[in-house]
Amino acid sequence: MTKRIIGISLLMLFVIPTHAQSSNPGFNATCKDLNTHGFRAANDIHGNSMPGGWTTSEKFNSTWQFSFTPPDKLFIDGKPAYILAQNTGVIIAAEAPAANSNSAGVWTYAVHLGMKKIVASQVNAAGNFDPRTQIIKARTTNFGCDFDLN
């Protein structure tokens, strides 16, 4: 009897997390950026610090494609994203483009299936220790999306 209880308990440890991951339906979303706010600070080609500042006039002028297959496969523009957290109706994910020798950055996304909305934030830094190539930036944007829930 004790072995049966232990066996059922262990089974529940594996079944409950898997069920929680699969609670969202599959979807496809085609999105365009609506508003983007960005911060940039950089040095000029002589290594002199230029004043950093915020802008509200950035535009990507592109279409972003999101595709989710339950329980945990999210693709953004055909590239896999890492799901950081997921609950019924919401997904938080990150997409880390390959870092090169001079820069690194990451995008994070919040997807709300009930609201059919997606927002995103990016952080990026480039220029190692050479003061002529240094830049740091952050951007946040909201999208207008057409959702197709499966």
Side-chain angles (χ1 to χ4, degrees), residues 9-88:
S9 298
L10 288 174
L11 181 62
M12 293 301 288
L13 288 174
F14 293 104
V15 171
I16 291 172
T18 303
H19 176 70
Q21 286 183 333
S22 64
S23 61
N24 284 314
F27 72 87
N28 292 302
T30 302
C31 305
K32 291 191 179 255
D33 59 296
L34 297 175
N35 299 296
T36 299
H37 296 253
F39 175 83
R40 279 186 173 72
N43 293 343
D44 66 19
I45 61 171
H46 303 291
N48 299 316
S49 180
M50 298 185 316
W54 285 93
T55 179
T56 59
S57 60
E58 293 193 24
K59 289 296 278 179
F60 292 102
N61 296 316
S62 62
T63 301
W64 303 44
Q65 300 289 332
F66 294 82
S67 177
F68 177 74
T69 303
D72 60 1
K73 301 292 183 225
L74 178 64
F75 290 86
I76 302 167
D77 293 333
K79 294 182 251 173
Y82 302 101
I83 294 179
L84 305 175
Q86 181 177 186
N87 288 311
T88 302

Side-chain angles (χ1 to χ4, degrees), residues 84-132:
L84 305 175
Q86 181 177 186
N87 288 311
T88 302
V90 297
I91 298 170
I92 304 297
E95 175 188 32
N100 63 40
S101 62
N102 195 39
S103 71
V106 65
W107 278 93
T108 55
Y109 302 87
V111 179
H112 198 297
L113 296 174
M115 296 174 73
K116 295 185 177 175
K117 295 203 177 285
I118 299 176
V119 295
S121 295
Q122 178 205 35
V123 293
N124 182 277
N128 54 48
F129 292 102
D130 182 348
R132 298 167 298 165

